[in-house]
């Protein structure tokens, strides 16, 4: 099941994008939305997303700053920025700093939005497939053992799943430490 994360400080924009995506791409798609970049970053540390769409101008951080952090946390997530500004300097920063896949303008044309998100989901599938093939090749050439191959597969499904924090007496500690 494919996942999309939406970030915008305007709740009505989040609702409109989610409604458009549901109507145009179907109900099999998992869509999460938030107006808080810190909540979005925490969620990115818990769950793998195929596509992340962020507003450009927000009070706590810009979309480029946020998507740069997304790139560090989930490098295979396809990143898109949504903005009312068509400023070429902003566009260059988004592409160069956060490696944004598409720059979407507000107000968006629903047909264009759906086409760009479809392309982003296809790109996410392609990146995942390429990564899996590369890992299988590494395994076949002895550069990656079977345990590490499986760990990478599981980690791609659920980020953080294979990261364990041990206590002083050998016990497994939960997320709060």
């Amino acid at each position: 099941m494919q996942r999309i994360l939406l970030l915008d400080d305007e709740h009505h924009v989040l609702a409109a994008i989610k409604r458009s995506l549901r109507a145009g791409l179907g109900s099999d798609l998992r869509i999460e939305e938030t107006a808080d970049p810190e909540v979005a970053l925490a969620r990115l540390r818990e769950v793998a997303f195929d596509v992340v769409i962020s507003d450009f101008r927000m009070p706590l951080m810009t979309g480029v700053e946020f998507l740069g952090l997304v790139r560090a946390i989930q490098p295979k997530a396809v990143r898109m920025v949504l903005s009312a500004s068509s400023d070429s300097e902003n566009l260059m920063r988004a592409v160069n700093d956060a490696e944004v896949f598409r720059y979407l303008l507000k107000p968006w044309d629903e047909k264009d939005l759906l086409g760009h998100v479809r392309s982003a989901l296809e790109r996410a599938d392609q990146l995942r497939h390429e990564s899996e093939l590369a890992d299988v090749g590494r395994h076949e050439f002895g550069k990656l053992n079977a345990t590490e191959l499986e760990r990478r597969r599981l980690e791609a499904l659920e980020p953080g799943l294979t990261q364990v924090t041990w206590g002083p007496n050998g016990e497994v500690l939960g997320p709060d430490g």
Side-chain angles (χ1 to χ4, degrees):
M1 180 172 296
Q2 294 179 308
R3 290 180 181 267
I4 295 177
L5 177 63
L6 306 173
L7 173 65
D8 196 303
D9 59 317
E10 298 179 53
H11 293 282
H12 67 278
V13 171
L14 290 170
I17 294 173
K18 187 173 181 178
R19 188 173 45 252
S20 292
L21 296 178
R22 281 261 175 262
L25 300 176
S27 60
D28 287 342
L29 194 60
R30 300 276 310 259
I31 302 171
E32 296 184 30
E33 77 276 349
T34 183
D36 185 339
E38 294 301 325
V39 170
L41 291 170
R43 195 66 181 131
L44 284 158
R45 290 182 184 97
E46 297 170 354
V47 177
F49 287 92
D50 297 290
V51 176
V52 178
I53 303 173
S54 173
D55 184 24
F56 180 77
R57 282 197 166 77
M58 297 179 289
L60 299 176
M61 69 176 67
T62 69
V64 174
E65 292 168 334
F66 171 74
L67 292 171
L69 294 171
V70 171
R71 180 177 170 226
I73 297 167
Q74 289 192 29
K76 292 181 191 118
V78 177
R79 296 166 298 282
M80 302 172 77
V81 71
L82 182 66
S83 178
S85 170
S86 60
D87 176 2
S88 63
E89 183 179 325
N90 287 336
L91 176 58
M92 283 191 327
R93 281 189 31 229
V95 171
N96 294 335
D97 295 350
E99 295 183 0
V100 169
F101 179 72
R102 292 282 191 278
Y103 190 92
L104 308 169
L105 288 176
K106 290 180 184 177
W108 61 86
D109 174 83
E110 191 164 324
K111 182 179 173 186
D112 287 344
L113 173 70
L114 293 173
H116 291 308
V117 172
R118 265 191 207 97
S119 294
L121 290 167
E122 288 168 7
R123 178 69 180 140
D125 283 342
Q126 180 185 16
L127 289 170
R128 184 175 27 261
H129 183 68
E130 288 171 0
S131 179
E132 290 169 0
L133 286 175
D135 281 348
V136 168
R138 286 184 198 97
H139 176 67
E140 288 176 2
F141 285 106
K143 301 286 184 189
L144 192 66
N145 65 37
T147 302
E148 180 61 14
L149 181 65
E150 181 63 6
R151 189 199 66 76
R152 288 183 183 195
R153 187 188 70 77
L154 292 171
E155 196 64 33
L157 293 172
E158 295 291 334
L161 178 69
T162 63
Q163 298 168 7
V164 177
T165 304
W166 298 97
N169 299 316
E171 71 275 18
V172 175
L173 298 177
D176 297 334

